[in-house]
Amino acid sequence: MKGSGPQGRITDDDIKRVASAPTTVEVQAPAPPVEAPVPAQPVEEPTPHPVEEPRPVGKDSREEVVALRGMRRMIAEHMAKSNQTVAQVTHVDEADLSDLVLLREAFKGSAAKRGVRLTFLPFIIKALIPALKEFPYVNSSLDEATGNIILKKYYNIGVATDTAQGLVVPVIKEADTKDIFDLAGEIEKIAAKARDGQLALEEVKGSTFTITNVGAIGGLFATPMVNYPEVAILGLHKITRRPVVRGGRIEVRDVTYLSLSFDHRVLDGAYAARFVSRVIETLQDTKKLLAEVI
């Protein structure tokens, strides 16, 4: 402000004049605040599901880990499929094989001359054939996709065989066309190949009915699992000499149990029971059995 009075003094008029004049004030905009840098946060990796590492088995451990693979795994998968699919029931009956024991003894010499060992199994197979023909639903399979039952007019008998690698089922094709000596030789041959792991794929395919024989091992009877997609399997068990009642008298006879496990979706219990009775009828009647084996 400049005064208008003597020697540049500021007067009252100067003050009033300045006070009444508009004043422009240049205001500098404040600088925008500078944000402090945010420290970088570490990126969290997704936590994987915990995976239990296989526990090593040391020399002092009382447990051993064995991988389920190869033949054992195939058997496990096949049995699981059968168990999940088949409505399985087992029927057990008793058979007096005293006459069969004598018949086998009579044929053992002829079998030896042919270079084969004659077991009871060829006789069982021959007794099965007329029963399978009379009860065709036992020799069938169920087509899951179409819902049709496939009745088979050929008789390929699977023989469950115990091997070091597990249970395998080589197949005797067209068993109805072979006599007991042919069957005995073929059973011996395929059993040896099974134990040596030399079976061809064709030798384990195409069975229509299966037999499993645990009699040599022991036990009273078992409930074998159906060899899916078949609908039935016959269990053969130990032949033992036991006292039984025959004609009102107690006699010591060669007796065994036969167990038929079957798919109840295809076979009814009465049908399965009649089938087993038919097999036993042939095994207990020498004349009927001879008509089949010769």
Side-chain angles (χ1 to χ4, degrees), residues 94-171:
E94 184 179 69
D96 183 345
L97 302 185
S98 301
D99 291 342
L100 175 58
V101 170
L102 296 175
L103 191 62
R104 172 176 171 261
E105 286 296 323
F107 277 98
K108 282 175 69 174
S110 299
K113 290 178 181 178
R114 299 169 188 245
V116 295
R117 186 172 67 91
L118 187 60
T119 66
F120 289 104
L121 194 52
F123 294 95
I124 302 293
I125 292 175
K126 296 305 289 185
L128 273 173
I129 300 303
L132 291 172
K133 291 179 178 179
E134 186 176 337
F135 297 88
Y137 284 86
V138 181
N139 197 60
S140 71
S141 62
L142 175 62
D143 188 326
E144 301 280 347
T146 64
N148 294 327
I149 299 172
I150 313 301
L151 304 179
K152 300 175 181 179
K153 304 297 178 67
Y154 53 95
Y155 306 93
N156 297 342
I157 307 300
V159 180
T161 305
D162 183 31
T163 73
Q165 294 78 33
L167 189 70
V168 295
V169 186
V171 182

Side-chain angles (χ1 to χ4, degrees), residues 231-291:
V231 300
I233 181 172
L234 183 70
L236 310 177
H237 307 289
K238 187 176 180 180
I239 301 174
T240 58
R241 291 185 61 78
R242 299 203 303 266
V244 297
V245 177
R246 291 290 182 268
R249 299 187 311 171
I250 296 178
E251 299 180 10
V252 177
R253 308 286 290 179
D254 294 291
V255 182
T256 190
Y257 292 107
L258 299 179
S259 57
L260 182 78
S261 293
F262 59 94
D263 190 341
H264 215 318
R265 298 176 303 169
V266 179
L267 307 180
D268 290 331
Y271 191 90
R274 292 189 184 99
F275 168 78
V276 176
S277 295
R278 178 67 172 86
V279 174
I280 293 174
E281 179 185 332
T282 303
L283 290 172
Q284 293 184 160
D285 189 323
T286 305
K287 292 181 180 179
K288 288 184 177 180
L289 190 55
L290 278 172

Side-chain angles (χ1 to χ4, degrees), residues 160-217:
T161 305
D162 183 31
T163 73
Q165 294 78 33
L167 189 70
V168 295
V169 186
V171 182
I172 299 175
K173 304 291 178 63
E174 308 294 341
D176 57 315
T177 65
K178 299 170 182 176
D179 63 27
I180 57 169
F181 304 113
D182 293 332
L183 291 173
E186 191 165 344
I187 291 168
E188 200 168 8
K189 178 182 175 182
I190 61 174
K193 292 180 72 173
R195 287 189 290 269
D196 294 338
Q198 296 179 349
L199 287 170
L201 182 59
E202 286 302 313
E203 293 175 306
V204 294
K205 291 175 58 179
S207 59
T208 61
F209 184 86
T210 295
I211 296 174
T212 180
N213 181 14
V214 296
I217 300 172

Side-chain angles (χ1 to χ4, degrees), residues 71-86:
M71 180 67 73
R72 186 71 262 166
R73 187 179 186 88
M74 290 175 61
I75 294 170
E77 291 172 352
H78 187 67
M79 292 297 99
K81 174 70 173 177
S82 177
N83 188 56
Q84 293 165 5
T85 306
V86 174

